[in-house]
Amino acid sequence: MAAYDDLMAHQRETEALSQVAGRLGWDQETMMPREAAPQRGAEMAAMETVLHARRTDPRMADWLAEAETSGPVEVAQLRHIRRSYERASKVPAKLASQIARVTSEAQGKWAEAREADDFAAFAPVLKDVVSLKREEGAALSAGGDVYDAMLDDYEAGATAAELSAMFDALRPRLVALRAAVLDAPAPAALQGKFDEGAQMKLSRQIAKTFGYDMAKGRVDKAVHPFSSGSGLDVRITTRTSETDPFNCIYSTIHEVGHACYEQNIDPDYLLTPLGQGVSMGVHESQSRIYENQIGRGRAFTGWLYGQMRDAFGDFGIADEDAFYATVNRVENGYIRTEADEVQYNLHVLLRFDLERALIARDIEVDDLEAAWNERFEADFGFAVDKASNGVLQDVHWSVGLFGYFPTYSLGNVYAGCLNDAMRDKMPDLDATLARGDTSHATRWLRENVQTHGGLYAPRDVIEQACGAAPSEGPLLSYLEEKFNGIYGL
Amino acid sequence: MAAYDDLMAHQRETEALSQVAGRLGWDQETMMPREAAPQRGAEMAAMETVLHARRTDPRMADWLAEAETSGPVEVAQLRHIRRSYERASKVPAKLASQIARVTSEAQGKWAEAREADDFAAFAPVLKDVVSLKREEGAALSAGGDVYDAMLDDYEAGATAAELSAMFDALRPRLVALRAAVLDAPAPAALQGKFDEGAQMKLSRQIAKTFGYDMAKGRVDKAVHPFSSGSGLDVRITTRTSETDPFNCIYSTIHEVGHACYEQNIDPDYLLTPLGQGVSMGVHESQSRIYENQIGRGRAFTGWLYGQMRDAFGDFGIADEDAFYATVNRVENGYIRTEADEVQYNLHVLLRFDLERALIARDIEVDDLEAAWNERFEADFGFAVDKASNGVLQDVHWSVGLFGYFPTYSLGNVYAGCLNDAMRDKMPDLDATLARGDTSHATRWLRENVQTHGGLYAPRDVIEQACGAAPSEGPLLSYLEEKFNGIYGL
């Protein structure tokens, strides 16, 4: 076992350094003084150099060749380490540093272009990003499908063909559901103002209700909600809006879903490749099932209604049923991150199809805005009014995250499957949720998904938990039943 | 210049990583979830391993041999880098990482033992720390004096013999001054309660008054006040006590002294060895002159009295003269960090003598508590009542900081020298301080001390600023004149 032990000792240090780099990212979004950015850039680049050198350390090839394993945990550790080593070794250091430099610049240009609603100002640097990412994808795919190689970074083993099959089945029924819902009379919207301190207090309480361990994490405010870290230090951020307490509450529940996944992984895997969520898709399945199938369900919102009245007094919603409808109100909108459950995946599918076409050279950057606007109108029935509400709304492409978007919808599909399986096992689950007790639901997710960390392949985690191969069916049935009910269709 | 440029590129990355490690330390004291400590220990150890590997990179020997320099800045950079390389190369990587791990653990044990007032509970891990540090000291000293080798880490070029000569001259006159002052009638103590939010607000305002740049730093609360970081991200912490606003105000001014030193270094030195305070002694000279010779002087306290009345209303002190006496009230006490100017150095000298004896094996850890208590009673005239008021009060030894304590008193000696020189140059300085304008004082310190960063040797910085070799004389004269005046001796 000498080679295996040496390899794992090296890897544990790499994982620890990766946690440090992640925490620097957290600090940048929450605590960093505003004029510290140039120094921070140098610090992040230095951490990246160190991590890259460790991931491509020539000794790793020998250790990997010589390591003997004696069980499924060791086999899985080696699988992850080999994958990471091969991935890092395929990309020339010069290309990796070019991508780092260009995407860092592109992020700034994107922010300026979005501010100015001017896609043409962003297009030149986006072309550079796409060109470099195509080059990287070609190096990674070694003759295979370039987009699949990119996707593999976020969702090991997934292919665009498999996702397309699911998403093509989702799209028409979501378009139809959306049209029907928006034709029906809408539930009341929330009115008035809600103290932001009270929102944070309630959100922290809800985070604990979902089992988030505050002794191994913390909640801060940031411009964009996120979860950061693995193991014993998993932090989340949320945000507040005086007129929209749901933004704070459901951002918190969403990030708590991500954070609980990290916190609930088998502690034996701490600071190893198994000690973190296995893929972006499985991660998103946890954040979405916490947020939606549990958090926006009739049972839990009944409890939440009482909590909100305790926190804010009477806010003009008459009863639990009306509150449930208000929480799940569907509205026209341009922005993915603000979308409701019915429309969210339509936003993602649009991006998936466009970025695949872009990487396959079926379209080019200069076609992107027109293609976006055409597809948006086809699915949503109205035109994009400006680039910041359209092709410029998301940061992802500027930082080179091609292959990331589809994991959002894959996570929603997985959440649908898990929700079905969980409720099959626990037919009375809603009785517990109705009194604000999420422990039965979160325990089932912990035992069937979260505790495994990276032990199984992403798709296998879901298949084992559900007893069936994942498909889009459960998500569609759930959405149609829920929204037909709320909207009386 | 190829070798010099390669060396500096490598060094800049090392400095950036060192800033990251420092910020992890800040996070640990301010933000870290309380059960994250074990993981944090692994993260810190991994950073230490990386830093050690970079500092002992075999290429550095070649670069150092080949580097050509063309001016005093390059010469000074090479001096620091060579020193760091030689220091790091003397300590085996395994020992360095053992020290990092054991001191991280010892810090926790120290906190528990202090809580329980039980030195015996701390002694075993302290023995491990002492043993490892002796081993490190032996490696560093290469046959020379082990304690001097440790001291050199914090104050390059200083020796215990030289410091002893100064401190032995300080001690009897401080003991005598202390006895005389405590025999005289005491000024009024502060009474009542002071809103902690208003304390923080006033302290932030005072921090700005002293020139601390909040756009390149931040102020948080922590159990122990400290300053952290160099360059564009220099953070401080402070603390509040409802009954003692001076604790918050003067902790803040002290840390602002440290932080302004870092912020005011020539920006050309950013992320290089010259881009940080040159030694702990010179650092402490800045924090102490801000805190004491400026902040606790008659002129500045006159202005502060008005600020405190604005912040807290009438708090029972009749006028500026009475306030000045109250600020400088001398009281019996056990705790170094709460000590007044008269007694502070007596606390430090005690530690200096004990830790020298410990490293020289003249005493062992099991003798430490008794030795502490005996020396304390000799200098302070009363007995230590419990370990948390005695040998367990400071964190330093738990984290292996042997050779650090004497730099506190050296800093006080330097502050005495700088104060004399500054007032020689600006006889009307008090007129500006009396209206809360510290800019003349801080500009003189910036131009004569702070801007140089690591360009000159520590002692040379003080000697050049003052035009004479540093000695304990100015500090003693200053203290005797000030406290004889306040106490009417």
Side-chain angles (χ1 to χ4, degrees), chain A residues 12-14 16-17 19-20 23-24 26-27 30-40 42-47 49-50 54 213-218 220 230-235 270-271, chain B residues 12-14 16-17 19-20 23-24 26-27 30-40 42-47 49-50 54 213-218 220 230-235 270-271:
Chain A
R12 277 199 184 85
E13 277 191 346
T14 307
L17 294 167
Q19 289 298 311
V20 173
R23 201 157 313 107
L24 265 194
W26 170 86
D27 184 272
T30 55
M31 300 290 157
M32 188 181 82
R34 70 170 189 277
E35 291 180 16
Q39 177 170 331
R40 181 58 59 93
E43 292 170 6
M44 297 283 253
M47 287 299 294
T49 302
V50 166
R54 293 187 64 93
D213 184 348
M214 292 280 191
K216 299 187 176 74
R218 52 180 290 131
D220 294 275
S230 297
L232 305 181
D233 193 345
V234 186
R235 306 180 184 189
L270 184 69
L271 295 179
Chain B
R12 278 201 183 83
E13 276 191 349
T14 306
L17 294 167
Q19 289 298 311
V20 173
R23 201 155 313 107
L24 265 194
W26 170 85
D27 185 272
T30 55
M31 300 290 159
M32 188 181 84
R34 71 171 188 276
E35 290 179 17
Q39 178 171 330
R40 181 57 59 93
E43 292 169 7
M44 297 283 251
M47 287 300 292
T49 301
V50 167
R54 294 186 64 92
D213 184 348
M214 293 279 192
K216 300 187 176 74
R218 51 180 292 132
D220 293 277
S230 297
L232 305 180
D233 193 343
V234 185
R235 306 181 183 188
L270 184 70
L271 294 180

Side-chain angles (χ1 to χ4, degrees), chain B residues 186-202:
Chain B
L190 214 54
Q191 304 286 342
K193 295 194 171 174
F194 298 80
D195 179 76
E196 293 177 68
Q199 290 184 38
M200 285 301 289
K201 193 175 161 209
L202 177 57

Side-chain angles (χ1 to χ4, degrees), chain B residues 416-473:
Chain B
C417 300
L418 291 168
N419 186 50
D420 260 21
M422 176 172 75
R423 287 172 187 274
D424 263 3
K425 290 280 177 197
M426 297 182 288
D428 298 331
L429 189 64
D430 275 342
T432 63
L433 297 175
R435 52 176 196 263
D437 175 6
T438 71
S439 66
H440 298 77
T442 55
R443 187 186 316 120
W444 189 88
L445 290 165
R446 185 174 73 239
E447 290 173 359
N448 287 281
V449 176
Q450 297 171 355
T451 187
H452 301 312
L455 186 58
Y456 307 117
R459 205 185 141 93
D460 293 347
V461 175
I462 304 302
E463 186 157 344
Q464 287 170 32
C466 301
S471 87
E472 72 287 352

Side-chain angles (χ1 to χ4, degrees), chain A residues 153-174:
Chain A
D153 269 355
Y154 310 108
E155 198 69 26
T159 64
E162 169 209 336
L163 298 186
S164 285
M166 280 182 181
F167 295 168
D168 289 348
L170 274 179
R171 188 177 164 205
R173 282 170 65 183
L174 290 179

